[in-house]
Amino acid sequence: MATKSEKGKKFIYLFGGAKSQGSADMKNLLGGKGANLAEMGKLGIPVPAGFTITTEMCAVYYKMNRNYPKALYGQIKEGIKHIEKTMGAVFGDNNNPLLVSVRSGARISMPGMMDTVLNLGLNDETVRGLAEQSGNERFAWDAYRRFVQMYGDVVLDLKPQTKTDIDPFEEIMDEVKKKKGIKLDVDLDVHDLKELVWKFKAAIKEKKGMDFPEDPWKQLWGAIEAVFGSWMGDRAIKYRTINKVPHDWGTAVNVQAMVFGNMGNDSGTGVAFTRNPSTGEHKFYGEYLINAQGEDVVAGIRTPQPVNVSTKTSAEQKTLEEVMPQAYKTLEAIYKKLEKHYRDMQDIEFTIQKGKLWMLQTRNGKRTAAAALKIACDMVDEKLIDYKTAVLRIGPEQVDQLLHPMFDPKAKKEVIAKGLPASPGAATGQAVFHADDAEAWQGEGKKVILVRIETSPEDIGGMNVAEGILTARGGMTSHAAVVARGMGKCCVAGCGALNINYKEKKFEVSGVTIKEGDWISINGSTGEVMNGKVPTIKPTLSGDFSKIMVWADKIRRLRVRTNADTPNDAKVAREFGAEGIGLCRTEHMFFEGDRIKAVREMILADDTAGRKKALAKLLPMQKGDFVGIFEAMKGLPVTIRLLDPPLHEFVPHEKPQQEEMAKEMGVSLEKIHHKINLLHEFNPMLGHRGCRLGIIYPEITEMQAQAIIEAACEFKKKGITVKPEIMIPLVGDVKELQDQVDIVRKVAADTMKKYGVKIDYMVGTMIEIPRAALTADKIAEVAEFFSCGTNDLTQMTLGLSRDDAGKFLPAYIEKGIYKNDPFQVLDAEGVGQLVEMAVNKGRKARKDIKVGICGEHGGDPESVEFCHKVGLNYVSCSPYRVPIARLAAAQAVIKEKTKKEYSTK
Amino acid sequence: MATKSEKGKKFIYLFGGAKSQGSADMKNLLGGKGANLAEMGKLGIPVPAGFTITTEMCAVYYKMNRNYPKALYGQIKEGIKHIEKTMGAVFGDNNNPLLVSVRSGARISMPGMMDTVLNLGLNDETVRGLAEQSGNERFAWDAYRRFVQMYGDVVLDLKPQTKTDIDPFEEIMDEVKKKKGIKLDVDLDVHDLKELVWKFKAAIKEKKGMDFPEDPWKQLWGAIEAVFGSWMGDRAIKYRTINKVPHDWGTAVNVQAMVFGNMGNDSGTGVAFTRNPSTGEHKFYGEYLINAQGEDVVAGIRTPQPVNVSTKTSAEQKTLEEVMPQAYKTLEAIYKKLEKHYRDMQDIEFTIQKGKLWMLQTRNGKRTAAAALKIACDMVDEKLIDYKTAVLRIGPEQVDQLLHPMFDPKAKKEVIAKGLPASPGAATGQAVFHADDAEAWQGEGKKVILVRIETSPEDIGGMNVAEGILTARGGMTSHAAVVARGMGKCCVAGCGALNINYKEKKFEVSGVTIKEGDWISINGSTGEVMNGKVPTIKPTLSGDFSKIMVWADKIRRLRVRTNADTPNDAKVAREFGAEGIGLCRTEHMFFEGDRIKAVREMILADDTAGRKKALAKLLPMQKGDFVGIFEAMKGLPVTIRLLDPPLHEFVPHEKPQQEEMAKEMGVSLEKIHHKINLLHEFNPMLGHRGCRLGIIYPEITEMQAQAIIEAACEFKKKGITVKPEIMIPLVGDVKELQDQVDIVRKVAADTMKKYGVKIDYMVGTMIEIPRAALTADKIAEVAEFFSCGTNDLTQMTLGLSRDDAGKFLPAYIEKGIYKNDPFQVLDAEGVGQLVEMAVNKGRKARKDIKVGICGEHGGDPESVEFCHKVGLNYVSCSPYRVPIARLAAAQAVIKEKTKKEYSTK
């Protein structure tokens, strides 16, 4: 039943001719296609007349249990009348028949997901009218044949029942062609086409038990129903779930007069971009086919020709500019008008019917990252847009493309598996299976891809020299992924299909065996694993990039820091614009060279004295680390996190390494086993780590504090100011923090006294345990800063181990239970609630407390926007994501100000 | 500096004689001792006159940086004047000297933690007066000797410097005794005592560089300062930290006239209870020594005698009643008065000086569980208290004592180790090291204690037949602990000192080796592990117990359910008063008998069809489980949790078992290895478990829902109503719940249709992931009930694995970082915040949503009180804790109503 409010409601909007009732800003109601058709009509651009049934109608249709309110019938009649009047043809008229297309059109494009019916209005009578009118009987019957086939498929649901079935219409086509001994559709003559129409109809009758509807009105209602129905089709639902499109948006339906590009050599059809979508070059760029329909362009049987002379690549090409100069001129005027009007690069579709140009579509064009930068900057120069709009025009994720090598898009590739796109970029190398081998091979000048079931901190050396890293286990935030992103190195993680055999140094996947030394290529932006060498190209950063970044920096409020553990990382990040280090993990420093020996000596020690002795050996090395990092950061703030991982990460877990360790340390293998057993944990994530280490072994905290303050003192003595921010990890209760702060402050005071200088240092904490957020007011009484460790906070808030979630996370996302991988995009509703709580409670207790975020989310645009909204002071991310964060932070400000939806298309 | 408000303030309260300015309800200001002394004074009971310096003064003292406000000096002078006047002696007078004691007295008793000085006022002059007055020179000089020694130790800090040092005063004593060839202090004569006084003073001069103060006023101020100072002594701070006493409470100081029980055979001293503290019998019960001081009773050189004839155990005993009938009569009148006045059993101290009885202390007496019950019930009968007060008088933890066997308190025991008191009770048996052995030995009629490094679900059978369980790893909520508590079986867990060798079937600890078959005893209430057999006694539940429980049930608002997985558990719990099952875990059912085979078949299956086939085998067994439980619960609500643990818990992890499994299942060992590898998780707590299983394998949820509803339908057909509440575990997002609810509802509808009956069932969820609490409003839109799983919620909110926390939790509690083990007592500040959030948000979305708690906390009194406060509907706990929860729930109501602090003493 229609409600009262629906009775007087306007469900259709006319476009074309004198009337255009919609406009471009009515996308929500008319869908993208409908809104832009109306807008073009308004601008006086020739569009075939038509009307759009609103997305609201789609909602009503489902609310009314797939029925329509009465009002719709009258409105559609009026809509058809409008088309008839404008186009000078009559729907269902035998002599001068109006044919229409019926197309879906949602708010956003859902390519291939929704249904379309063309040439609607044809029947055994009107086909004759069309033949006469066009003077081309074959054209008319071909149109009819296509219509019956399309209608049978889309509306009457005569489709292959399983994937292996042949399409019933194609089956008939094949029979007829076989009988005639022809291969191509174009070789079918009028007689054949008539036979096909007859046979198609018979098949419908036989298989669907119904006559093909001859009445154009019946045809029209059937097609409308099919389009609305396709919104709730399985494919569409799945697409929306994956692409996070709300199911209640609904689709609009566009009913539009047909125009034909295949009415002879004075007809044609084409697509074009108002600027080059690959490079951004300010040049009109398009392709067309003479005497053809849109389908033909797609079919790829004939080669499309360039639209204009300036984009010709060979003399033989016949441009529209040359072949139909008048139509081209009109097109040129229109594209300029459209670009100026939309203030953005347009992707347009046009058809020329007997010399007359019709526009069928315009929309903002998709573009590469480089093109996006160039177009945005050019348009600012052209005064088409201001710099804030330019900043909004760049997809933060696109920036990523610019910073990493990529595969040559023209190269051939044999994809053998797909994992998680863990760290972007492209890499080609010879497969090796052990970190040592990677180092050895690289030493011989070879390029390698390190293939591991999973990586561990012991593999750092091999990871560092590899072109890329491929793992079978672990998620987007596994060790391999995190370290690779930190290094800006390509990584495909969690590629579960790989059957890796360390012993035989090989892996098998999809029936292919890759042995050590075989070439493979991996794409860290898509997760693809390819057999053989695929050539890569290295993008260069243009001046446009710097321009956009300067503008972004002018706009943003959030500071952007980096997560960096080495002087080199720090240097890279600073070059990318990092304003400090938000997270310097000290544990990675514990693995290098001889240090691991001292660390293991500490772990094996039976008492405090033994641990102190071992730690004393680490002190100068650790101090050296900080000297290097302070140097690289040149006075910018550096947040150093004290030792975080459980101690068992520092001992070998395989027998040969344990034996070696025993030998090196001069202790029995039994003692090592015993110690390793003691260190074993059921859930190391929730185990003896973070500040719990420093509380039980205060001497570790002492050593680290001393190393930091000594390094700072030495700089100070040289007249250089450094700003260490000492961060206590895994605090859940203010008393844990107080315990560690007391130690740090005492060591700092003693050290400063020894050096005779005063260092301006801070002591703060991670907010990474839910309880820390819940009691942030108390913690802020002691902490001078907060850094939200949203990796761990996500794990604990969601009860989700990032290393194990791979087993069900993909299904969760597919089922729409999670919108995103919560380790990539901050879960604003849950984890975000705690982050906000930490900010608010923290500031209540300590007004000026500095709050940042240092989880992987710090480099994710959506999460950066969240951080801006809840008022964090900074985000910290891996070096290669710093520009992304800078851009996202600026966009957050603009979006907040305009409070309008935007999309980077 | 004293503040204005402190100038006119009253810092001392007089007691004794005509004046008693304080009263028993002023404990916070006067401390326990001071308040009760004042109260006795008010009642006209003879107490040596004195005054109390308030706890407020202690705070001021520390605020003023260990100084006093001026006002105090005058007030103390007045206080001394009051004592002089009342006692008829003069402070510092050479002929008739007044001696005083200076004692600490905080709100609560801190035995041995704080300082005391006796006989203050003696010097080289007054000692002569005392000698003359008492007619006993030796007594006077002995008092002086003791005073100088005590003052030197407590006030002047002349103490042993290290633990191995000899006390400097004892050293002198030993010298003098050696020189004289005597052994006992009592053999020292006046001459010796004078020499000691002289030598003590010389030692003070030499080691402390100061003269012993002869001026009694100086002595007094020194002693006051020492008592206040001892509040912040290391021992006291540590004691308060451990016992959770706030540091800002402060101590009071009691300055009181000395009375002497060692002035001859008409003097004496004693302690007594107004009723029997072991049995509760309504009989005056005490001990005294003639011609002695309090210290002498403690020293144990002489045997104290019973106070009255009715408690004599042998004819030779000389009771006070017989020896000093007058004093006894007075004492009898006083104790009756006190008990009637305090309406509780009193623990009193008295001294008789030359025939005159003085009361030195009264306080509510500590008592055993049985005594507490009897006294409370008797006092209701005697109309001394009402039933609500009686309910408040029982410590819920005391109830625990009543439900489990206990060691004979008189038995000897050799404690060889101490673990966590994981499940109360006492057990003695022969050590076995494997669950199979436990079953075999028990089959031969032997009593065994199962000793394991840790237990796993595979050990259930062995655990079930063992007298008790002892583990080396795991906390209070480890598998062993939880299962043992569920079984009401004694368990000591996490006894890390045990060095267990499975191969040789033995363990070593404290130099003792226990081999298979050796007898050991374990105390699950204290955590003690003992060598050999220690006899146990089984307490019986008295009628008093039932009385208290009936009263408690009348008062409480919270419902009490039980966590029970078997019909037997359910039956036991119902006998203990459980009003339903709050948590029936279905996974334990998966281990029994042949079921594990079907479970493993399901795990090994490669596709849905294979899993369904295996699940079909489980269905009838699972249904049988529910039939048994519904039967036992006779219509009470039963909350059934769907499968929760990760699947790897169901496969064997050791090679021989894996080989056996391979053989049994007819698959290769390699396939089993492969599957087990796939199931491996880094952090299983945060892994593929809970509803994540049902989401990936909907067929598991389907089977379980069908088993539950089929069982319910069969009862319904027999005319018996059952109320299944189906609970989806580990939900973090409402969409997870919706996914599972849809499955359950569909299966339920189909099943009810098949049976042709309608079951009144509910579907709800656990709140055990922080995100569930944070988004409880959304979840409540789908969930019909919430059950807070505070075990997991604690793990995730605190980032603390209960199985691994043993490494640092004890240190955390010792350092005062945690007040309690958060797995025993709900962390109200952190986890509690989330529980409260779940209640409030849940009720906002669904007004009448039933919210319970089913974590281990459901049986902890402090946590039960919290649950009452935040408005939960019920708590659920292991069967043996049901009475404790009932009592605690009642006490929560009373406490809320009276809003007064209470203590069960």
mmCIF file of all heavy atoms in Angstrom, chain A residues 705-727:
data_model
loop_
_atom_site.group_PDB
_atom_site.id
_atom_site.type_symbol
_atom_site.label_atom_id
_atom_site.label_comp_id
_atom_site.label_asym_id
_atom_site.label_seq_id
_atom_site.Cartn_x
_atom_site.Cartn_y
_atom_site.Cartn_z
ATOM 1 N N ALA A 705 66.677 3.804 30.124
ATOM 2 C CA ALA A 705 66.564 5.223 30.482
ATOM 3 C C ALA A 705 67.940 5.871 30.452
ATOM 4 O O ALA A 705 68.121 6.976 29.943
ATOM 5 C CB ALA A 705 65.920 5.370 31.853
ATOM 6 N N GLN A 706 68.918 5.141 30.982
ATOM 7 C CA GLN A 706 70.272 5.691 31.022
ATOM 8 C C GLN A 706 70.805 5.926 29.604
ATOM 9 O O GLN A 706 71.391 6.972 29.310
ATOM 10 C CB GLN A 706 71.189 4.719 31.786
ATOM 11 C CG GLN A 706 72.528 5.341 32.140
ATOM 12 C CD GLN A 706 73.401 4.368 32.939
ATOM 13 O OE1 GLN A 706 72.878 3.396 33.501
ATOM 14 N NE2 GLN A 706 74.689 4.636 32.977
ATOM 15 N N ALA A 707 70.587 4.947 28.725
ATOM 16 C CA ALA A 707 71.069 5.081 27.346
ATOM 17 C C ALA A 707 70.444 6.295 26.674
ATOM 18 O O ALA A 707 71.120 7.066 25.978
ATOM 19 C CB ALA A 707 70.754 3.807 26.560
ATOM 20 N N ILE A 708 69.151 6.480 26.891
ATOM 21 C CA ILE A 708 68.456 7.611 26.250
ATOM 22 C C ILE A 708 68.985 8.944 26.784
ATOM 23 O O ILE A 708 69.340 9.843 26.021
ATOM 24 C CB ILE A 708 66.930 7.522 26.505
ATOM 25 C CG1 ILE A 708 66.355 6.289 25.808
ATOM 26 C CG2 ILE A 708 66.228 8.787 26.029
ATOM 27 C CD1 ILE A 708 64.952 5.900 26.288
ATOM 28 N N ILE A 709 69.051 9.039 28.103
ATOM 29 C CA ILE A 709 69.433 10.332 28.699
ATOM 30 C C ILE A 709 70.915 10.627 28.442
ATOM 31 O O ILE A 709 71.285 11.771 28.170
ATOM 32 C CB ILE A 709 69.091 10.353 30.206
ATOM 33 C CG1 ILE A 709 67.579 10.122 30.402
ATOM 34 C CG2 ILE A 709 69.514 11.659 30.865
ATOM 35 C CD1 ILE A 709 66.686 11.227 29.896
ATOM 36 N N GLU A 710 71.744 9.587 28.471
ATOM 37 C CA GLU A 710 73.165 9.826 28.164
ATOM 38 C C GLU A 710 73.321 10.351 26.738
ATOM 39 O O GLU A 710 74.071 11.304 26.498
ATOM 40 C CB GLU A 710 73.989 8.533 28.340
ATOM 41 C CG GLU A 710 74.290 8.226 29.793
ATOM 42 C CD GLU A 710 75.385 7.158 29.959
ATOM 43 O OE1 GLU A 710 75.974 6.723 28.949
ATOM 44 O OE2 GLU A 710 75.642 6.772 31.120
ATOM 45 N N ALA A 711 72.609 9.718 25.805
ATOM 46 C CA ALA A 711 72.697 10.176 24.415
ATOM 47 C C ALA A 711 72.262 11.638 24.326
ATOM 48 O O ALA A 711 72.903 12.465 23.677
ATOM 49 C CB ALA A 711 71.842 9.294 23.515
ATOM 50 N N ALA A 712 71.146 11.955 24.993
ATOM 51 C CA ALA A 712 70.636 13.328 24.950
ATOM 52 C C ALA A 712 71.638 14.302 25.575
ATOM 53 O O ALA A 712 71.853 15.412 25.077
ATOM 54 C CB ALA A 712 69.296 13.405 25.664
ATOM 55 N N CYS A 713 72.256 13.873 26.690
ATOM 56 C CA CYS A 713 73.215 14.733 27.379
ATOM 57 C C CYS A 713 74.408 15.049 26.461
ATOM 58 O O CYS A 713 74.886 16.178 26.426
ATOM 59 C CB CYS A 713 73.725 14.072 28.655
ATOM 60 S SG CYS A 713 72.516 14.084 29.985
ATOM 61 N N GLU A 714 74.838 14.034 25.735
ATOM 62 C CA GLU A 714 75.994 14.256 24.869
ATOM 63 C C GLU A 714 75.680 15.272 23.779
ATOM 64 O O GLU A 714 76.514 16.117 23.445
ATOM 65 C CB GLU A 714 76.478 12.920 24.289
ATOM 66 C CG GLU A 714 77.136 12.097 25.388
ATOM 67 C CD GLU A 714 77.711 10.770 24.909
ATOM 68 O OE1 GLU A 714 77.725 10.513 23.691
ATOM 69 O OE2 GLU A 714 78.142 9.994 25.789
ATOM 70 N N PHE A 715 74.454 15.199 23.242
ATOM 71 C CA PHE A 715 74.060 16.202 22.249
ATOM 72 C C PHE A 715 74.009 17.591 22.884
ATOM 73 O O PHE A 715 74.482 18.563 22.322
ATOM 74 C CB PHE A 715 72.694 15.854 21.650
ATOM 75 C CG PHE A 715 72.806 14.893 20.513
ATOM 76 C CD1 PHE A 715 72.822 13.531 20.733
ATOM 77 C CD2 PHE A 715 72.926 15.363 19.218
ATOM 78 C CE1 PHE A 715 72.946 12.645 19.690
ATOM 79 C CE2 PHE A 715 73.047 14.476 18.155
ATOM 80 C CZ PHE A 715 73.054 13.116 18.386
ATOM 81 N N LYS A 716 73.397 17.623 24.052
ATOM 82 C CA LYS A 716 73.236 18.893 24.758
ATOM 83 C C LYS A 716 74.597 19.550 24.971
ATOM 84 O O LYS A 716 74.751 20.760 24.803
ATOM 85 C CB LYS A 716 72.557 18.618 26.102
ATOM 86 C CG LYS A 716 72.251 19.860 26.908
ATOM 87 C CD LYS A 716 70.932 20.490 26.484
ATOM 88 C CE LYS A 716 70.585 21.648 27.396
ATOM 89 N NZ LYS A 716 69.177 21.935 27.402
ATOM 90 N N LYS A 717 75.561 18.725 25.322
ATOM 91 C CA LYS A 717 76.905 19.261 25.576
ATOM 92 C C LYS A 717 77.486 19.876 24.306
ATOM 93 O O LYS A 717 78.273 20.807 24.363
ATOM 94 C CB LYS A 717 77.826 18.145 26.100
ATOM 95 C CG LYS A 717 77.531 17.799 27.553
ATOM 96 C CD LYS A 717 78.789 17.413 28.289
ATOM 97 C CE LYS A 717 78.816 18.086 29.649
ATOM 98 N NZ LYS A 717 79.990 17.737 30.428
ATOM 99 N N LYS A 718 77.066 19.292 23.173
ATOM 100 C CA LYS A 718 77.542 19.839 21.893
ATOM 101 C C LYS A 718 76.672 21.021 21.458
ATOM 102 O O LYS A 718 76.817 21.529 20.355
ATOM 103 C CB LYS A 718 77.484 18.745 20.820
ATOM 104 C CG LYS A 718 78.608 17.730 20.950
ATOM 105 C CD LYS A 718 78.643 16.808 19.728
ATOM 106 C CE LYS A 718 78.082 15.452 20.072
ATOM 107 N NZ LYS A 718 77.839 14.592 18.923
ATOM 108 N N GLY A 719 75.721 21.395 22.327
ATOM 109 C CA GLY A 719 74.873 22.544 21.998
ATOM 110 C C GLY A 719 73.665 22.192 21.149
ATOM 111 O O GLY A 719 72.990 23.078 20.626
ATOM 112 N N ILE A 720 73.400 20.906 20.994
ATOM 113 C CA ILE A 720 72.232 20.507 20.198
ATOM 114 C C ILE A 720 71.125 20.034 21.142
ATOM 115 O O ILE A 720 71.362 19.222 22.029
ATOM 116 C CB ILE A 720 72.593 19.363 19.222
ATOM 117 C CG1 ILE A 720 73.761 19.797 18.336
ATOM 118 C CG2 ILE A 720 71.376 18.960 18.381
ATOM 119 C CD1 ILE A 720 74.494 18.636 17.692
ATOM 120 N N THR A 721 69.943 20.570 20.941
ATOM 121 C CA THR A 721 68.831 20.195 21.808
ATOM 122 C C THR A 721 68.089 19.003 21.214
ATOM 123 O O THR A 721 67.761 19.012 20.031
ATOM 124 C CB THR A 721 67.852 21.367 21.955
ATOM 125 O OG1 THR A 721 68.582 22.464 22.501
ATOM 126 C CG2 THR A 721 66.705 21.009 22.878
ATOM 127 N N VAL A 722 67.873 17.986 22.007
ATOM 128 C CA VAL A 722 67.031 16.873 21.552
ATOM 129 C C VAL A 722 65.885 16.723 22.534
ATOM 130 O O VAL A 722 65.999 17.120 23.693
ATOM 131 C CB VAL A 722 67.838 15.556 21.439
ATOM 132 C CG1 VAL A 722 68.896 15.684 20.371
ATOM 133 C CG2 VAL A 722 68.455 15.185 22.762
ATOM 134 N N LYS A 723 64.792 16.194 22.049
ATOM 135 C CA LYS A 723 63.591 16.101 22.883
ATOM 136 C C LYS A 723 63.140 14.660 23.050
ATOM 137 O O LYS A 723 62.205 14.228 22.384
ATOM 138 C CB LYS A 723 62.449 16.900 22.254
ATOM 139 C CG LYS A 723 62.725 18.389 22.165
ATOM 140 C CD LYS A 723 61.541 19.093 21.533
ATOM 141 C CE LYS A 723 61.877 20.525 21.207
ATOM 142 N NZ LYS A 723 60.947 21.125 20.246
ATOM 143 N N PRO A 724 63.789 13.905 23.919
ATOM 144 C CA PRO A 724 63.342 12.525 24.081
ATOM 145 C C PRO A 724 62.012 12.467 24.837
ATOM 146 O O PRO A 724 61.807 13.186 25.815
ATOM 147 C CB PRO A 724 64.460 11.863 24.884
ATOM 148 C CG PRO A 724 65.277 12.964 25.459
ATOM 149 C CD PRO A 724 64.920 14.245 24.785
ATOM 150 N N GLU A 725 61.127 11.630 24.340
ATOM 151 C CA GLU A 725 59.873 11.355 25.030
ATOM 152 C C GLU A 725 59.892 9.863 25.343
ATOM 153 O O GLU A 725 59.791 9.042 24.427
ATOM 154 C CB GLU A 725 58.693 11.721 24.128
ATOM 155 C CG GLU A 725 58.710 13.187 23.726
ATOM 156 C CD GLU A 725 57.606 13.566 22.737
ATOM 157 O OE1 GLU A 725 56.982 12.656 22.165
ATOM 158 O OE2 GLU A 725 57.389 14.765 22.557
ATOM 159 N N ILE A 726 60.064 9.552 26.589
ATOM 160 C CA ILE A 726 60.227 8.147 26.972
ATOM 161 C C ILE A 726 58.842 7.542 27.206
ATOM 162 O O ILE A 726 58.050 8.061 27.982
ATOM 163 C CB ILE A 726 61.121 8.035 28.231
ATOM 164 C CG1 ILE A 726 62.496 8.649 27.905
ATOM 165 C CG2 ILE A 726 61.240 6.572 28.676
ATOM 166 C CD1 ILE A 726 63.432 8.727 29.095
ATOM 167 N N MET A 727 58.591 6.447 26.517
ATOM 168 C CA MET A 727 57.236 5.892 26.532
ATOM 169 C C MET A 727 57.217 4.511 27.181
ATOM 170 O O MET A 727 57.936 3.609 26.777
ATOM 171 C CB MET A 727 56.722 5.809 25.103
ATOM 172 C CG MET A 727 55.302 5.303 25.008
ATOM 173 S SD MET A 727 54.495 5.917 23.530
ATOM 174 C CE MET A 727 55.251 4.912 22.286
#
